[in-house]
Amino acid sequence: MAYPPRLAHLATRPVVVAKLMPTYARAHNIDEDEASQRLSSALQGRLLPSLLEEAWTAMRGKSKRLDDEGLLEKVATTLKDRPTRPGRVAELNPAWSAFLVLADLEAGTASEAARRVMESPEGRQRAQAGLAEVGRFLAAELTRGK
């Protein structure tokens, strides 16, 4: 695990679901409840730790003046009053699309053809780019407070 355990205590699955749900709902043209259920299911496995790792990497790369403890305090401050406040809707791009396919695979809603594509070398590369992109988005959402 390349991120501090406290990050996982702050950015729990319900918090991460809330931050990603608006973008997921819009991309799939589904209501927020359905999007939350699918994302919650998708983040039960290995996807959540991978996403937190990417978010932590993005936070550390973006903030030169805060040490690790300072970053964690910023996350705690941001989430203090409304931890499950929905995130902003992200602008979709190929990396976000790859992440959405990954989430669908983890949730069990993607086709077998999508699974085969994501298991190819190019698919794995796009999946990693998608995790990094969504990790940057999540880092911004988790640190946009005071």
Side-chain angles (χ1 to χ4, degrees):
M1 176 174 7
Y3 57 90
R6 185 171 178 214
L7 181 63
H9 292 287
L10 293 168
T12 61
R13 185 166 30 124
V15 169
V16 175
V17 166
K19 302 304 178 196
L20 301 180
M21 179 270 303
T23 302
Y24 189 92
R26 179 169 293 167
H28 287 77
N29 199 26
I30 57 177
D31 68 33
E32 293 180 351
D33 290 337
E34 177 72 16
S36 292
Q37 288 174 350
R38 287 188 192 181
L39 274 171
S40 185
S41 175
L43 294 173
Q44 283 183 351
R46 64 185 185 264
L47 192 56
L48 181 59
S50 298
L51 200 50
L52 290 178
E53 191 170 319
E54 292 294 340
W56 182 247
T57 300
M59 280 185 236
R60 292 186 76 203
K62 197 169 100 175
S63 179
K64 302 294 183 223
R65 58 188 177 90
L66 291 176
D67 63 0
D68 289 359
E69 195 55 41
L71 278 172
L72 290 168
E73 278 308 308
K74 185 165 183 157
V75 171
T77 301
T78 299
L79 298 176
K80 182 175 70 172
D81 294 330
R82 291 183 57 205
T84 56
R85 174 180 163 193
R88 298 176 183 153
V89 176
E91 192 68 37
L92 292 181
N93 58 35
W96 258 99
S97 296
F99 173 79
L100 294 171
V101 172
L102 266 182
D104 288 344
L105 285 169
E106 290 295 317
T109 60
S111 69
E112 192 56 39
R115 180 176 306 284
R116 285 193 301 275
V117 167
M118 294 308 278
E119 288 173 350
S120 72
E122 184 179 346
R124 285 192 293 275
Q125 185 178 0
R126 288 186 186 269
Q128 189 55 47
L131 278 171
E133 175 79 17
V134 177
R136 287 188 293 274
F137 173 83
L138 185 58
E141 287 293 314
L142 294 173
T143 58
R144 76 177 196 194
K146 303 168 186 88

